Amino acid sequence: GNSVTQMEGPVTLSEEAFLTINCTYTATGYPSLFWYVQYPGEGLQLLLKATKADDKGSNKGFEATYRKETTSFHLEKGSVQVSDSAVYFCALSEDAGKSTFGDGTTLTVKP
Amino acid sequence: NAGVTQTPKFRILKIGQSMTLQCTQDMNHNYMYWYRQDPGMGLKLIYYSVGAGITDKGEVPNGYNVSRSTTEDFPLRLELAAPSQTSVYFCASSWRRGSTDTQYFGPGTRLTVL
């Protein structure tokens, strides 16, 4: 079946540091890939997505590129802020009605 | 446009009690989902629905039931609550087109079973 593997956290960075959160996936077909963010006490919300190979999703300074050859969708941001502190989930969507989520990576950004 | 709403926000149940978690969306989405999120873990799909009158099991359906009588509502029923059902429950919805399935989540219900 499908699976998503994220780098383990927690990740702690200083403000303005560079962020990478690794995500690799296993899928039988051609999934769409997503990054969701969860702020404390809230539900998940879409951060960015990519629907086919070599697509780059971007939002709020975050980027991720759909790499079919390495089955990866790593999340990056050039300069993190304290307000980026949250839990980040990588996910894929392929079969009807079923998305697969990673276990989440907790990011803490210190001033 | 409220999006996805869930009630209650918090609930404490005793072992063996039953309850219904409510979920409503006002985006006319065809797909709806129930997930549970255990501490430090990702989301596990409990049930999903592709439209009114149609539901299907997800990864962890045991101990739960759902119904989808309208497009807007997708309640989750817990029968005979057990401590293993202590979790945060999220409802989500989407307008599915192919594999592009951006889900919109409610704020969650934090359930404790003692």
Side-chain angles (χ1 to χ4, degrees):
Chain A
N2 296 343
S3 67
V4 174
T5 303
Q6 290 181 232
M7 69 183 279
E8 291 189 19
V11 174
T12 302
L13 295 173
S14 297
E15 209 165 20
E16 299 184 2
F18 185 85
L19 168 71
T20 300
I21 300 178
N22 290 338
C23 172
T24 58
Y25 68 90
T26 302
T28 53
Y30 302 95
S32 294
L33 300 175
F34 304 80
W35 277 101
Y36 287 86
V37 59
Q38 183 180 30
Y39 298 104
E42 298 183 8
L44 281 69
Q45 56 186 272
L46 178 69
L47 179 60
L48 54 84
K49 68 181 180 184
T51 59
K52 61 183 187 296
D54 299 325
D55 269 2
K56 178 185 284 188
S58 62
N59 185 26
K60 299 180 181 179
F62 291 89
E63 293 183 339
T65 301
Y66 190 145
R67 302 286 187 199
K68 189 169 183 295
E69 63 276 13
T70 55
T71 61
S72 64
F73 193 55
H74 305 320
L75 182 68
E76 296 182 337
K77 187 175 185 182
S79 177
V80 293
Q81 305 300 312
V82 172
S83 57
D84 293 327
S85 297
V87 182
Y88 293 82
F89 292 90
C90 186
L92 68 83
S93 173
E94 185 179 35
D95 295 335
K98 294 183 180 179
S99 293
T100 303
F101 289 81
D103 286 343
T105 301
T106 300
L107 170 66
T108 301
V109 180
K110 297 189 173 181
Chain B
N1 192 335
V4 179
T5 58
Q6 293 182 236
T7 56
K9 286 187 174 9
F10 304 94
R11 184 72 186 268
I12 298 174
L13 284 182
K14 294 183 179 178
I15 294 172
Q17 287 186 320
S18 300
M19 76 164 294
T20 298
L21 282 65
Q22 301 292 343
C23 175
T24 300
Q25 54 93 7
D26 62 0
M27 297 173 282
N28 201 32
H29 285 167
N30 51 349
Y31 279 65
M32 294 188 75
Y33 312 82
W34 274 106
Y35 295 93
R36 59 177 288 170
Q37 183 182 32
D38 297 328
M41 304 291 287
L43 301 178
K44 302 292 185 187
L45 182 65
I46 305 171
Y47 272 95
Y48 69 99
S49 169
V50 304
I54 306 170
T55 63
D56 205 351
K57 296 178 181 178
E59 189 180 352
V60 289
N62 292 344
Y64 307 94
N65 278 300
V66 293
S67 59
R68 182 101 181 266
S69 57
T70 66
T71 299
E72 295 79 17
D73 300 309
F74 190 42
L76 177 72
R77 178 83 177 161
L78 278 72
E79 306 281 2
L80 299 175
S84 61
Q85 292 178 305
T86 294
S87 190
V88 181
Y89 291 84
F90 289 102
C91 179
S93 70
S94 68
W95 179 254
R96 188 169 182 89
R97 185 169 297 169
S99 66
T100 302
D101 184 29
T102 300
Q103 298 189 23
Y104 294 80
F105 287 80
T109 294
R110 187 175 296 274
L111 175 67
T112 302
V113 181
L114 300 174

